[in-house]
Amino acid sequence: MVAEAGGAAALEASAAPERDVARDMIRRSALFGVPLLAGGALGWGWTGALSVGLALALVLVNFALGAAAIGWGARMGPSAMMAAAMGGYVVRLGIVTAAVLPVRHHDWFELLPFAVALLVTHLGLLIVEARRVSASLAFPGLKPSRSSLERSA
């Protein structure tokens, strides 16, 4: 009975692996967010912290929208998933640009801490998450922890 409950939970979790990966990335963003916010505040004061905060928000929204687009495309079929991934990437780049252009001349916006935070958070989360993603059909999405495998056995 316990094995059935664990198996059902694993099956339910694997129904939307892109959503699980995006949630895990958002959860792990604190690894990058706290030091970047502190660095922005130390280097540029409140304007640096606000700029870094905007970059972090854009990164998290970017990953969440990417997961939503891929999930939508996956339900439609392989071609739609590829179109959603590629087209969604261009649209999300446009969203980042549209978010930055109106605020770039404001007094509270600092370009350098914003750009560093945007780059470091995007690349850092992708690198960290690449180590956590499972590349097997048995466990799509995130690699299961040893404790969850032992419980389901």
Side-chain angles (χ1 to χ4, degrees), residues 14-80:
S14 69
E18 69 283 344
R19 195 175 327 153
D20 295 339
V21 171
R23 263 194 217 118
D24 193 57
M25 287 177 113
I26 290 169
R27 189 172 49 87
R28 292 180 185 280
S29 66
L31 291 170
F32 298 93
V34 172
L36 287 170
L37 283 168
L42 287 173
W44 291 269
W46 286 107
T47 59
L50 287 173
S51 300
V52 169
L54 175 63
L56 293 173
L58 285 172
V59 168
L60 298 180
V61 167
N62 189 7
F63 284 138
L65 288 175
I70 291 171
W72 174 84
R75 287 190 300 274
M76 301 300 171
S79 297

Side-chain angles (χ1 to χ4, degrees), residues 58-59 61-63 65-66 69 84-102 114 118-119 122-123 126:
L58 285 172
V59 168
V61 167
N62 189 7
F63 284 138
L65 288 175
M86 295 302 291
Y89 176 73
V90 173
V91 168
R92 290 180 289 127
L93 282 178
I95 290 171
V96 170
T97 303
V100 173
L101 287 178
F114 172 82
L118 195 72
L119 181 68
H122 264 110
L123 292 177
L126 288 173

Side-chain angles (χ1 to χ4, degrees), residues 3-15 20:
E4 284 181 17
L11 183 61
E12 183 179 318
S14 69
D20 295 339

